[in-house]
Amino acid sequence: MSTNDNINDLERVLFNENEINSRLDELAESISNQYDKCKLTVVSIMNGSLMLTADLLARLEIDFDLRCLNVESYYGETKGSGEVFINSIRMPNFSGRHVLVVDDIFDTGKTLEAVVERINCECNPIKVSSLTLLKKKKEIKVNITPDFVGFEVDDLFLVGYGLDYHGKYRNLPVIGELKKGIIANPTL
Ligand code: IMP
Ligand code: MG
């Protein structure tokens, strides 16, 4: 099976490449304006925000430093485990710097909350803000929402453009809803 066949596992496409690219242009412009006079460190949450981070940072017109954090919460399932593991024993020092945490999607918000809290507690930044490409429309129990959001989406399981199901579909150039049958019967 070729990678392109994975597109047939989508119930529907929510955002195509053009829509993603134009929204990234707008987000990059806002970020370039906001952090124009600041020392900025972008903290990218891997692996989901790999594509987003590359494409967004390529559009920035300001200087920045990049750090990547490996964070796990889903363990390949479609519902969060509720626990967030940040795979970094020693966090960097961000004193004198503004931090922008970048993640693919805001679902329960636990991932973003855990990362922002850890940076605030251990890294001494001036200010931590956050950006997610997608934000699910749902009731949340955390005290944080992203400062920049690409698209608000319904509470569905989405894949593509970095978002995966059991490690698959990250390389789809579009973002779409995974067919329910695939979630029920993963043939992976
Ligand atoms: P949260 O901690 O519940 O906000 O979940 C955020 C993390 O869960 C993201 O970084 C994603 O890796 C993953 N995630 C949440 N929703 C989806 C989805 O619809 N598709 C794929 N991954 C998702
Ligand atoms: Mg993630």
Side-chain angles (χ1 to χ4, degrees):
M1 186 196 255
S2 79
T3 305
N4 288 339
D5 292 336
N6 284 341
I7 203 122
N8 298 325
D9 292 351
L10 297 183
E11 185 67 43
R12 65 194 171 105
V13 170
L14 273 79
F15 306 106
N16 63 31
E17 285 171 86
N18 286 340
E19 289 165 321
I20 295 171
N21 284 330
S22 5
R23 190 65 187 118
L24 289 183
D25 288 341
E26 293 170 354
L27 288 170
E29 198 185 332
S30 308
I31 292 161
S32 296
N33 290 336
Q34 172 134 349
Y35 293 103
D36 189 23
K37 305 231 159 27
C38 307
K39 285 187 178 163
L40 173 66
T41 295
V42 174
V43 173
S44 169
I45 302 182
M46 291 289 136
N47 296 321
S49 71
L50 181 63
M51 276 78 166
L52 165 66
T53 302
D55 291 344
L56 182 72
L57 298 190
R59 288 167 161 82
L60 292 189
E61 290 169 4
I62 51 169
D63 292 332
F64 58 86
D65 183 31
L66 172 66
R67 298 279 178 153
C68 294
L69 279 185
N70 262 85
V71 179
E72 286 171 65
S73 56
Y74 257 65
Y75 298 106
E77 297 306 323
T78 59
K79 290 271 179 283
S81 66
E83 273 186 282
V84 178
F85 292 90
I86 302 173
N87 298 328
S88 174
I89 296 162
R90 202 167 65 85
M91 296 289 284
N93 190 312
F94 293 142
S95 59
R97 305 192 69 88
H98 287 257
V99 174
L100 179 68
V101 178
V102 173
D103 201 6
D104 49 4
I105 190 162
F106 184 98
D107 181 5
T108 63
K110 284 181 181 165
T111 302
L112 204 60
E113 181 185 57
V115 171
V116 168
E117 205 171 281
R118 180 119 183 231
I119 293 172
N120 271 323
C121 290
E122 298 180 27
C123 310
N124 197 31
I126 294 177
K127 185 170 183 222
V128 185
S129 302
S130 57
L131 176 151
T132 62
L133 182 62
L134 304 164
K135 179 175 182 295
K136 290 189 187 173
K137 287 181 218 153
K138 66 198 282 185
E139 214 181 295
I140 50 162
K141 296 196 178 98
V142 296
N143 286 319
I144 184 173
T145 52
D147 301 274
F148 303 89
V149 172
F151 305 102
E152 297 251 0
V153 293
D154 289 334
D155 188 10
L156 302 164
F157 194 77
L158 306 177
V159 293
Y161 196 68
L163 293 158
D164 74 303
Y165 179 62
H166 284 285
K168 201 171 158 181
Y169 307 106
R170 286 193 203 280
N171 53 341
L172 283 179
V174 302
I175 296 168
E177 179 188 356
L178 196 57
K179 280 183 181 157
K180 297 267 182 318
I182 306 274
I183 296 173
N185 305 297
T187 53
L188 298 167

